[in-house]
Amino acid sequence: MEKQLYYVNLNPISMDDISPIRVNDGQLIEYEIEATSLEKKELEKLLREVQAHDVELGNLFSFRHFDDQEGDRDKNEYQRGLNDVFEELYRLGTEETKAKIREIHLINDDQ
């Protein structure tokens, strides 16, 4: 299956939007990846799962965020999911993307 170039931003509002077009917005960090359509769908699914655990979005109109245990569980799930997202972005990423991720110390590739 042929790989195509896509751009991923981790804006919480549109986290699962993977675009074939780069958005030239200086405020937005985009990660460039090369993925098959199946890899793209899997990454979109992972992004949706992470977004579901985003405390600020998920609990905006509820009182769940006042429950410390529930809030901690959501935060931990969100962070684990975000770690998985960055691992996948690194795996699929172009050299530029891999360099960005290494620069912010989210991946240790000294293996």
Side-chain angles (χ1 to χ4, degrees):
M1 196 171 256
E2 190 174 322
K3 293 189 179 225
Q4 293 184 342
L5 207 54
Y6 296 102
Y7 299 91
V8 181
N9 77 67
L10 299 182
N11 175 348
I13 303 300
S14 61
M15 187 180 280
D16 59 345
D17 185 28
I18 299 174
S19 173
I21 300 167
R22 181 185 293 260
V23 176
N24 288 320
D25 180 346
Q27 302 296 317
L28 185 65
I29 298 174
E30 287 186 299
Y31 297 94
E32 186 177 72
I33 63 168
E34 294 176 310
T36 65
S37 59
L38 181 59
E39 289 170 326
K40 177 182 177 274
K41 285 179 186 174
E42 288 297 316
L43 181 56
E44 287 170 332
K45 179 181 173 188
L46 179 59
L47 290 169
R48 279 191 300 276
E49 289 171 3
V50 170
Q51 198 170 21
H53 289 288
D54 186 351
V55 176
E56 291 178 16
L57 284 177
N59 298 323
L60 191 58
F61 297 108
S62 75
F63 291 101
R64 283 181 61 197
H65 60 284
F66 290 115
D67 180 347
D68 287 340
Q69 287 181 334
E70 190 68 33
D72 286 347
R73 195 170 20 259
D74 271 348
K75 286 180 211 170
N76 291 337
E77 284 297 317
Y78 180 76
Q79 188 58 54
R80 268 194 293 278
L82 209 49
N83 292 345
D84 291 344
V85 166
F86 275 105
E87 285 179 20
E88 194 64 8
L89 288 175
Y90 189 84
R91 186 179 77 77
L92 298 172
T94 62
E95 285 307 313
E96 178 184 341
T97 292
K98 289 178 182 184
K100 276 185 197 176
I101 293 172
R102 281 193 303 268
E103 184 177 309
I104 55 178
H105 306 291
L106 290 174
I107 295 289
N108 181 3
D109 66 344
D110 295 339
Q111 300 163 7

